[in-house]
């Protein structure tokens, strides 16, 4: 019984303070508050049950994010086919137009547009529209501050894949935000030089 009490005290001290971080990540995965709450609850239940496997002094945040990601994939994507390498490689085809759009935006003086505006609502909508494999990378690296290496470990993918997906995700978000600025009349449409 002493071990259970010690485990509970240790879990409360180390894991429970990370609930807000795991909640943000869960919401970025589910895009729904109720589903995110359920995912957080299941994540912490699984984490407590496996607490004896956690190595004190290691990165508890990363450990919990891994559990959350795995729980999400098991729970919310059973019916969805996981993206295969061929499908993911097809995403490279859209990188050139997005990069050209960015270069043209810089030429038109829109480079600092995002510094001048509150883009949070548009960014949240853009994040919701990203495919899951891009959304989880942005959430881990840009929102939660994990390194590329840590994100690769959490997602169980190579670091190069993290870099590639993050590049494409950021460009898609940037293109979305530029389109929003044009729609709001804050910028002129970007002309394609090609």
């Amino acid at each position: 019984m002493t071990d259970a009490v010690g485990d509970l005290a240790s879990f409360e001290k180390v894991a429970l303070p990370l609930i807000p971080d795991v909640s943000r990540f869960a919401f970025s995965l589910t895009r729904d508050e109720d589903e995110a709450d359920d995912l957080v609850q299941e994540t912490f239940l699984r984490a407590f049950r496996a607490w004896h496997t956690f190595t004190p002094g290691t990165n508890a945040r990363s450990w919990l994010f891994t559990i959350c990601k795995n729980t999400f994939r098991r729970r919310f994507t059973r019916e969805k086919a996981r993206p295969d390498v061929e499908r993911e490689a097809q995403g490279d085809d859209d990188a050139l137009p997005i990069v050209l759009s960015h270069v043209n935006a810089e030429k038109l003086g829109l480079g600092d547009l995002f510094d001048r505006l509150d883009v949070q609502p548009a960014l949240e909508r853009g994040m919701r529209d990203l495919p899951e494999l891009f959304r989880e990378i942005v959430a881990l690296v840009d929102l939660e501050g994990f390194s590329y290496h840590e994100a690769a470990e959490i997602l169980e993918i190579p670091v190069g894949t993290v870099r590639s997906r993050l590049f494409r995700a950021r460009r898609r978000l940037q293109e979305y935000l530029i389109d929003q600025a044009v729609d709001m009349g804050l910028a002129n449409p970007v002309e394609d030089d090609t």
Side-chain angles (χ1 to χ4, degrees):
M1 187 74 175
T2 307
D3 289 340
V5 172
D7 282 350
L8 179 59
S10 152
F11 186 78
E12 288 176 345
K13 181 180 179 185
V14 176
L16 292 186
L18 297 171
I19 288 175
D21 294 347
V22 175
S23 295
R24 279 192 311 274
F25 182 57
F27 182 75
S28 72
L29 294 174
T30 64
R31 298 176 285 173
D32 178 270
E33 285 185 36
D34 292 333
E35 288 180 5
D37 289 344
D38 289 346
L39 179 57
V40 169
Q41 183 176 0
E42 189 169 345
T43 297
F44 278 86
L45 179 61
R46 288 177 183 272
F48 182 70
R49 287 179 180 156
W51 191 243
H52 65 281
T53 67
F54 176 73
T55 305
T58 60
N59 190 340
R61 189 169 177 254
S62 180
W63 186 73
L64 288 166
F65 273 57
T66 301
I67 294 171
C68 183
K69 180 262 312 177
N70 289 338
T71 303
F72 170 75
R73 285 188 177 167
R74 261 193 307 279
R75 186 170 183 212
F76 294 106
T77 60
R78 278 188 187 121
E79 65 280 351
K80 292 182 184 177
R82 294 297 306 150
D84 59 17
V85 174
E86 180 181 329
R87 192 168 123 207
E88 185 174 328
Q90 290 172 353
D92 289 334
D93 295 341
D94 67 350
L96 182 60
I98 293 171
V99 171
L100 290 175
S101 174
H102 172 68
V103 170
N104 287 330
E106 290 288 330
K107 286 181 188 175
L108 294 173
L110 300 177
D112 70 337
L113 179 65
F114 305 121
D115 294 333
R116 296 181 278 145
L117 299 174
D118 176 17
V119 296
Q120 186 67 30
L123 187 57
E124 288 172 0
R125 286 190 302 274
M127 280 286 290
R128 281 193 301 267
D129 291 344
L130 283 177
E132 177 189 331
L133 61 110
F134 292 145
R135 197 172 57 250
E136 62 190 12
I137 291 288
V138 171
L140 288 172
V141 176
D142 290 340
L143 301 179
E144 297 300 332
F146 283 103
S147 70
Y148 291 179
H149 181 72
E150 291 169 326
E153 285 179 358
I154 291 170
L155 298 173
E156 300 169 341
I157 58 176
V159 173
T161 303
V162 169
R163 286 188 174 105
S164 173
R165 288 180 185 175
L166 188 60
F167 172 80
R168 293 190 319 230
R170 285 173 174 166
R171 292 300 170 243
R172 285 183 182 200
L173 284 173
Q174 187 174 43
E175 184 177 67
Y176 179 81
L177 292 174
I178 289 170
D179 289 346
Q180 293 300 304
V182 169
D183 289 348
M184 292 170 43
L186 300 170
N188 295 322
V190 176
E191 300 293 326
D192 189 0
D193 290 342
T194 58

